[in-house]
Structures are given as structure tokens and as C-alpha cells.
Amino acid sequence: MSDRTPALDVVHGMLTLLFAVVALHVLWHGVRSPGAGRRDRVDLVLHLAMAAAMAAMPWSPGPPLSGRAATVFFTAAALWFPLTARTAVVFADRLTPAVGMGTMAWMSRPPSGAARVSAAQETAAAAGVPATHHTAAHGHAADASTTATLVTVVLTVYLLGCALRSLTRPMPALRTATDLAHRAAATNPYGHVRDGAMALGTAVMLLLPH
């Protein structure tokens, strides 16, 4: 039976609008930065892919974006950000999008061990397997469920913290940008708002049925 409700559809609609705006901002920034380097262009493509995927996720007729291909893609995207950081400061700045991509990989992963154990239980019951085996299967399912819940909570708390930090940062001073970090921020003055909105939306999506 479906767990969709009108209220949930409204929330999903708001999230879809949020992610669509983020995707449009990424496109706009890409058009305004034709001379961007290879790393920046890859960053924009990955941000766009994630925003588009998140916008479509609530309306997927089946398990949203599930499958090994999506998991591998977003895992590789998560690794891209820290592996292409040249300094510790840049690494810290690229950690948030890395976690966001990792969260996408987490949400798109194939059915958990708990789901596989549940299916195995039904098969075993039909085959007349003794109840002691069902008890062991329940234990494995509980362990898998606990681990999944813990990972989801850690990701959600981290993303909420990143969203709060990004959304409360002051706008960069466009005319007084002197150091490299401030000059980079001045070329994309709304980037931290986009990143904060993306982190917030991803955290909310983690907690909702898709």
C-alpha cells in the first residue's frame, strides 16, 4: 500500500521546486563562467546532476534512482571533491558537496540487508524452514536496520549543520574582495545560499519516504 498523502506530496513539491531552482542557478553560473577550469566544470556538472536527480526523486514510480549504476556514479562524485582539493582549506570547503554526493549514493543504494533478509524469510517460510532460522534472520535484519538508521542520522545532522552555516554566512563584499577566497566568492555571490539550500533539501529528503 502506498504511503503517499496529500501533505507529503506538498512537501515533495516544495523540495522539487527547491532543487529545480538550484539546478537553474548551477546552469546560470556555468553560462556566466565560460573560462572556468576543468575542475570547476566537472563540479558544475556534478552539482547539476545531483539537483536534477533530487528534483525527480520524489516522483519516481519505483524505488527512486536505485541501482548499482546510480550508487557507483554518486560514490565516484563524492570522492571527486576531496581528491581534487589542493589545500586543507579547499578540502574543508569541498567536504560538504562530497557528503551531499555520498548521501545520494546512500539513498540510491540497492535494497538493504534487512529487505533481503525479509524476502529470504518469506521464501524460507514457504519452504518449511525451521523457526530457529527465522530468529537468526530477524537478528540480522535488526542489525542492518540499526546501522542504516545510524548512518541516516549522522548524514542528516551533518547536512543540517552545513545548511545552517551556509545560509547564515554574510554576502561577500564584491568591491573589496582581496584574497583568493573572497575573490572566488565574489564571482558566485549566491553560491553559499545555493549550497545551503541543497544541503537543507537533501537532509529533509533523507527523512522522508520517497
Side-chain angles (χ1 to χ4, degrees):
M1 185 174 69
S2 173
D3 54 4
R4 301 190 72 91
T5 64
L8 183 59
D9 283 342
V10 169
V11 175
H12 280 160
M14 294 172 64
L15 289 171
T16 295
L17 179 61
L18 171 68
F19 293 127
V21 170
V22 168
L24 288 174
H25 181 270
V26 172
L27 280 175
W28 175 73
H29 181 59
V31 170
R32 290 180 65 250
S33 308
R38 180 180 64 88
R39 189 187 71 172
D40 291 336
R41 290 197 300 270
V42 173
D43 288 355
L44 288 173
V45 169
L46 293 178
H47 281 301
L48 180 60
M50 179 175 174
M54 293 293 281
M57 181 178 288
W59 315 108
S60 175
L65 301 172
S66 62
R68 190 175 301 278
T71 303
V72 170
F73 174 81
F74 285 110
T75 299
L79 294 173
W80 162 263
F81 287 94
L83 291 179
T84 53
R86 300 184 182 93
T87 66
V89 174
V90 175
F91 179 89
D93 287 340
R94 294 173 71 78
L95 192 57
T96 298
V99 173
M101 296 294 170
T103 301
M104 279 298 298
W106 174 250
M107 289 192 289
S108 64
R109 72 194 189 282
S112 66
R116 290 195 295 268
V117 168
S118 177
Q121 285 178 315
E122 294 178 3
T123 302
V129 175
T132 53
H133 292 280
H134 294 303
T135 301
H138 275 298
H140 291 302
D143 290 342
S145 178
T146 300
T147 300
T149 300
L150 179 60
V151 171
T152 298
V153 168
V154 170
L155 289 173
T156 301
V157 170
Y158 181 84
L159 289 171
L160 287 175
C162 291
L164 181 63
R165 181 175 65 88
S166 293
L167 294 174
T168 56
R169 282 174 55 188
M171 294 292 291
L174 300 182
R175 295 184 180 179
T176 60
T178 54
D179 59 38
L180 181 62
H182 282 82
R183 286 199 299 272
T187 63
N188 186 20
Y190 300 101
H192 64 89
V193 177
R194 179 198 67 205
D195 294 341
M198 193 69 183
L200 178 61
T202 305
V204 174
M205 189 70 82
L206 263 172
L207 300 177
L208 292 177
H210 308 303

